[in-house]
Amino acid sequence: MPRKAHLLIVDDEANTLASLSRAFRLAGHEATVCDNAAKALVLAKAQSFDLILSDVVMPGKDGLTLLEELKQQGVAAAVVMMSGQAHIEMAVRATRLGALDFLEKPISTDKLLLTVENALKLQRLESENQQLRQRLGKHEIVWKGENMRRLMAQLERVAASESRVCILGETGTGKELVARTIHERSARSAGPFVTLNCAAVPAELIESELFGHEKGSFTGASGRHIGKFEQADQGTIFLDEIGDMPLSMQAKLLRVLEEGEVERIGGDKPIAVNVRVVVATHRDLEARVREEKFRQDLFHRIYVFPIALPPLRDRREDIPALVEHFAKQVCAQNAWKPVPFTSEAMQALEGYAWPGNVRELRNMVERLMLLATDGQVDLATVQMALPKTSAGTASSATSLGSGPLADRVESFEREAILAELKRTHQNMSLTAKALGLERSHLYKKAEQLGIDLRTLRREQGAQD
């Protein structure tokens, strides 16, 4: 099913605007009309359009000038020019200025719709190529052991279905990577993969992020915003840390899952979306339901196929393969020669508890390669880089005692953050980078885990 497009049509003839917008809306697209170039430039900068269709000859500023200004202002939408007074010089100039196509009036409806379809396909291909370049080597699940073999078999089965998936695991175990793998191995792989971290978005903004808003719907809404669900139409939306979603938002998400429709804030009609939902959390959702912090009806909607990711300390046999994989990435990114790890260094890495899991290992590999002497990473380099706490021993995995999984997870997270804060002398920016977190997320996580940052700073006289 073709993706719905949001188009801006610019023409000084009212009849043309009416007929074109009607044709696009009948085809399932959304059209905004404008009768002059100056207003069109303002609209294009304030809103997000997939395609701008503009006449060339108009009173005042003409369409070619508009095209030039759109490119100068960095407007990303593709632009198609049209004219009833077309000549070869005009078409050549439009192409040189960056027009995707040049159409001669009168234009048939079939020709218009085909132009839109081709423009969307081209944009999708460009986006996919950019994502592939950015993701080259980054989004690959690396494994050798039995634990991950079983998990990969589960991924293959569920990816081929339309079932909702709930990914469980500690911070840093690779939940987004698993969600992306499910998407790429599904029938929706040609569609978008859209992510939202529910814990990182303020409660007052999460509805707008998910469902979008119309211009003027609230203070600061200077233009229309397309929400994550609409962006993910025909693809997959990944809601990370869903256990931290506010209760008021949970009720609205439940309605979307039940009805397959979203309504932008300030909108007057529901918008149908065809989206597969994959969620993830490090929390015990069943415990959150019992504590009335998570809706039971929403839990049953999203908890169709749970996948539990093992922490890195429970898949130590994968560490050598992961180290090799990350080392290749670091070398490629920095144009370095390969830096080998000695067997003693690898044994030390396998013996560490890795409270930050795979994410911590990735950061550690880069740090070790920077610290390497004599062209290799040896035992002394590893011992210098690992945190000098009880978390640095393999036995620390059992030092946290017994109890519910959620309590153990929080203990590991708290210990990992404290260890990294100590190593960086309470520098929050460096700590967030080392743990692979946004700085704002680190502050929120510290508060959730009961870490008093002010007291730590006073005690150690640290500077941020």
Side-chain angles (χ1 to χ4, degrees), residues 335-364:
W336 293 347
K337 294 180 179 179
V339 180
F341 286 64
T342 67
S343 58
E344 293 82 4
M346 195 66 74
Q347 288 175 7
L349 293 174
E350 291 180 52
Y352 177 60
W354 299 109
N357 293 295
V358 178
R359 183 181 296 152
E360 182 185 7
L361 176 62
R362 167 63 177 81
N363 295 332
M364 179 60 70

Side-chain angles (χ1 to χ4, degrees), residues 59-79:
K61 187 183 297 183
D62 66 21
L64 293 178
T65 303
L66 170 62
L67 172 61
E68 189 172 11
E69 292 181 351
L70 287 170
K71 298 303 179 182
Q72 290 173 351
Q73 296 291 332
V75 175
V79 181

Side-chain angles (χ1 to χ4, degrees), residues 11-35:
D11 200 300
D12 60 316
E13 296 181 3
N15 290 338
T16 300
L17 291 177
S19 61
L20 292 183
S21 62
R22 181 174 182 274
F24 286 128
R25 285 168 180 153
L26 287 174
H29 300 299
E30 188 173 355
T32 297
V33 298
C34 176
D35 62 3

Side-chain angles (χ1 to χ4, degrees), residues 164-191:
R164 293 178 185 139
V165 180
C166 182
I167 305 170
L168 309 169
E170 297 176 12
T171 300
T173 49
K175 295 187 286 294
E176 181 175 343
L177 178 57
V178 169
R180 189 181 295 274
T181 301
I182 291 171
H183 169 73
E184 292 178 348
R185 300 188 183 187
S186 74
R188 294 176 176 266
S189 59

Side-chain angles (χ1 to χ4, degrees), residues 76-97:
V79 181
V80 172
M81 306 303 298
M82 55 185 182
S83 177
Q85 307 172 34
H87 51 77
I88 189 66
E89 292 83 3
M90 183 185 292
V92 169
R93 186 184 171 200
T95 302
R96 287 177 176 172
L97 289 173

